[in-house]
C-alpha cells in the first residue's frame, strides 16, 4: 500500500525540504507507485492497518525504507515505502511493485524493529538485489523479494506451503504493516484482523473486520491459522482508497518462484567488494551492481561506459573528507567516514561552481541526486497499491 502513503510523505511532509534525501524519496515513491484500484476516488484514511493496534509480535515483519546517501541525514527519519516479511536469513518477501526493478533495491534497507525510529544499527539491513515474479503485471502476480547484504537479526517465518483451505472465505486473517498511522506517521508495526471475501487462483480478497491494511503496508503479510498453526498465506497488493477492502497475492500459488530464490541465495549468498574511498571510482569500471561495494551502484558515465557511484548519485569519485556539503558537491557516506562526491566530468573549480566538459552548469546539475534515474520509471494506471 505504497502509492498513497509515500506520495503523501514525499509531497506534503518532506524530511529535509530541498535536500538530497527528498529527491531520493520522490524517486523511490515512484518505484512503489503500483496498481491503482478502479472506481471513484475517495478520501484516503491515513492509518496503518486501519482498525488495528501496535503489534509487538511478528519480528520477521520489517519496514522497507530508502537510504539517504548524504551525511547528516538520519536513518531514523527515513519514511516507510513498503513492508516485507523475512522468509529466509537473507530473503524478504514483499510486493513486486515495491521492488520494481534491479536498481531500486540499491537504495533500500529493511528495518527489523517494532518502531523504525528507535531501531538500532544492527536492525537495519541493507538490500543488495531484488527479484520480481516473471509474470508480474498490473493487478496480477504482485510478488517480489529483496535480497539482503547479510543475515537478518531475527529468525525468518517459515514458508509451510499449505494451500488455502476450501472453507477460507469468511475466515479472518491477521494483517501486519508499517504504514501511516492516525497521526500521519509511518514506522510503527501494527496488526489486526480482516475477513476473506473471495478467492482467485493467484490472489484473495479481504475486507476490514475490523482492521485493514492501508498506505505503506504494501508487501506486508497476511497470516491465517490452519490446523492450529499460523501460516503466511498472502502479501498485501492493492485495495480501495478508503482502506475498507484489499487484495492479497497468494503465497501458495507462487511457491515455486519463492523457493527458487531462497535456494539460489542459500547456495550463493551475495557478496560485495570492500569500499576503498581512495580508489578513483570514475576509472573503476563495472558491468553490474554486484561489481560495486555495498552502498554503491553501477551507473552510466556521461561519455559512455559504466562505473560505481554512491547509490542514488550520478557517476563520480570521492573527494576530501567533509562534515557538510561544499556548494555543488554533496558530503556523502563513504563507509564509516564522510567525503565530498565529485562528478567524473568535472575539470575545474571556478567561483564555487563547477565546470564540466561542454560548459558551465549550475549546482543542481553538477551534483544532482539522480536517486535512481538509472531507469526507474513510474508505472501508472493500475489498481491502487498500498
Amino acid at each position: 500500500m505504497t502509492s498513497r502513503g509515500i506520495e503523501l510523505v514525499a509531497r506534503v511532509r518532506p524530511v529535509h525540504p530541498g535536500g538530497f534525501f527528498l529527491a531520493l524519496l520522490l524517486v523511490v515513491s515512484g518505484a512503489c507507485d503500483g496498481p491503482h484500484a478502479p472506481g471513484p476516488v475517495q478520501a484516503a484514511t491515513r492509518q496503518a492497518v486501519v482498525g488495528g493496534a501496535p503489534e509487538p509480535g511478528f519480528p520477521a515483519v520489517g519496514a522497507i525504507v530508502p537510504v539517504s546517501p548524504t551525511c547528516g541525514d538520519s536513518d531514523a527519519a527515513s519514511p516507510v515505502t513498503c513492508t516485507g516479511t523475512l522468509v529466509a536469513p537473507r530473503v524478504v518477501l514483499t510486493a513486486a511493485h515495491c521492488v520494481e526493478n534491479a536498481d531500486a533495491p540499491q537504495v533500500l534497507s529493511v528495518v527489523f524493529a517494532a518502531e523504525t525510529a528507535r531501531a538500532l544499527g544492527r536492525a537495519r539491513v541493507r538490500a543488495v538485489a531484488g527479484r520480481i515474479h516473471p509474470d508480474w503485471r498490473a493487478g496480477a502476480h504482485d510478488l517480489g523479494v529483496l535480497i539482503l547484504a547479510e543475515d537478518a537479526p531475527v529468525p525468518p517465518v517459515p514458508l509451510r506451503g499449505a494451500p488455502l483451505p476450501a472453507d477460507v472465505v469468511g475466515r479472518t486473517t491477521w494483517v501486519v504493516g508499517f504504514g501511516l498511522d492516525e497521526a500521519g506517521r509511518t514506522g510503527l508495526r501494527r496488526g489486526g484482523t480482516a475477513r476473506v471475501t473471495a478467492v482467485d487462483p493467484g490472489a484473495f480478497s479481504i475486507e476490514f473486520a475490523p482492521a485493514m491494511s492501508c498506505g505503506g503496508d504494501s508487501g506486508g503479510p497476511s497470516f491465517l491459522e490452519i490446523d492450529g498453526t499460523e501460516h503466511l498465506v498472502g502479501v498485501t497488493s492493492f485495495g480501495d482508497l478508503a482502506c475498507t477492502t484489499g487484495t492479497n497475492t497468494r503465497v501458495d500459488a507462487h511457491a515455486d518462484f519463492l523457493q527458487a530464490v531462497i535456494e539460489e541465495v542459500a547456495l550463493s549468498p551475495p557478496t560485495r567488494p570492500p569500499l576503498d574511498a581512495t580508489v578513483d571510482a570514475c576509472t573503476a569500471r563495472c558491468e553490474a551492481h554486484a561489481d560495486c561495494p555495498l552502498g554503491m551502484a553501477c551507473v552510466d558515465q556521461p561519455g559512455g561506459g559504466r562505473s560505481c557511484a554512491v547509490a542514488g548519485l550520478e557517476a563520480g569519485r570521492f573527494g576530501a573528507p567533509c562534515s557538510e556539503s561544499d556548494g555543488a558537491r554533496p558530503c556523502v557516506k563513504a563507509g564509516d567516514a564522510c567525503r565530498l562526491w565529485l562528478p567524473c566530468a568535472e575539470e575545474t573549480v571556478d567561483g564555487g561552481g563547477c565546470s564540466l566538459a561542454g560548459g558551465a552548469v549550475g549546482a543542481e546539475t553538477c551534483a544532482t541526486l539522480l536517486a535512481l534515474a538509472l531507469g526507474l520509471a513510474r508505472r501508472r494506471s493500475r489498481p491502487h497499491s498500498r
Side-chain angles (χ1 to χ4, degrees):
M1 303 185 170
T2 53
S3 61
R4 173 171 64 262
I6 298 313
E7 289 175 10
L8 280 171
V9 174
R11 297 174 186 173
V12 181
R13 298 172 53 248
V15 178
H16 296 290
F20 287 99
F21 186 76
L22 175 58
L24 174 63
L25 175 58
L26 287 170
V27 176
V28 172
S29 74
C32 291
D33 186 20
H36 297 274
V41 175
Q42 307 175 51
T45 302
R46 298 184 63 190
Q47 297 180 348
V49 184
V50 177
E55 176 54 73
F58 298 101
V61 180
I64 299 173
V65 301
V67 180
S68 172
T70 57
C71 289
D73 282 334
S74 171
D75 289 337
S78 297
V80 176
T81 64
C82 282
T83 299
T85 306
L86 188 74
V87 294
R90 294 197 187 189
V91 179
V92 174
L93 173 63
T94 187
H97 71 262
C98 295
V99 179
E100 185 73 14
N101 57 33
D103 299 323
Q106 308 309 312
V107 295
L108 296 176
S109 284
V110 182
V111 182
F112 296 97
E115 186 175 356
T116 59
R118 298 179 181 272
L120 301 177
R122 176 92 172 90
R124 301 175 182 274
V125 186
R126 193 86 184 228
V128 293
R131 302 283 190 276
I132 60 174
H133 194 278
D135 296 325
W136 173 50
R137 63 183 188 279
H141 307 291
D142 191 7
L143 206 74
V145 300
L146 290 175
I147 300 172
L148 305 179
E150 58 184 313
D151 288 0
V154 297
V157 170
L159 291 177
R160 304 183 190 279
L164 285 178
D167 64 348
V168 69
V169 174
R171 294 177 60 175
T172 57
T173 67
W174 190 264
V175 292
V176 185
F178 281 83
L180 291 167
D181 64 17
E182 294 85 347
R185 297 168 300 190
T186 63
L188 180 66
R189 187 192 295 130
R190 293 168 64 92
T193 56
R195 182 180 296 108
V196 178
T197 58
V199 177
D200 292 322
F204 62 89
S205 302
I206 57 176
E207 65 181 6
F208 71 99
M212 173 56 59
S213 46
C214 199
D217 296 324
S218 264
S222 184
F223 294 96
L224 179 72
E225 186 174 313
I226 302 175
D227 297 329
T229 302
E230 284 184 329
H231 289 245
L232 172 56
V233 295
V235 172
T236 298
S237 180
F238 62 89
D240 69 330
L241 282 169
C243 301
T244 60
T245 63
T247 296
N248 280 240
T249 303
R250 288 178 57 171
V251 172
D252 64 330
H254 301 85
D256 290 346
F257 163 74
L258 294 174
Q259 192 58 41
V261 175
I262 291 172
E263 292 176 358
E264 172 197 338
V265 176
L267 289 173
S268 182
T271 60
R272 291 293 184 91
L275 188 149
D276 183 353
T278 65
V279 173
D280 185 352
C282 295
T283 62
R285 299 296 171 151
C286 59
E287 296 295 332
H289 297 314
D291 299 330
C292 301
L294 186 64
M296 302 187 78
C298 190
V299 304
D300 292 331
Q301 291 237 18
R306 311 190 79 196
S307 63
C308 295
V310 173
L313 298 181
E314 63 186 344
R317 58 172 62 88
F318 290 108
C322 57
S323 58
E324 60 183 11
S325 296
D326 179 15
R329 301 162 183 77
C331 185
V332 302
K333 299 168 185 174
D336 295 330
C338 295
R339 287 178 175 266
L340 294 175
W341 186 250
L342 313 177
C344 288
E346 182 174 321
E347 293 180 345
T348 61
V349 177
D350 184 13
C354 67
S355 297
L356 308 184
V361 296
E364 289 186 355
T365 301
C366 71
T368 299
L369 177 58
L370 292 182
L372 293 185
L374 309 170
L376 268 168
R378 299 197 65 160
R379 299 177 180 262
R380 301 182 183 274
S381 303
R382 307 171 182 166
H384 195 91
S385 69
R386 295 187 164 169

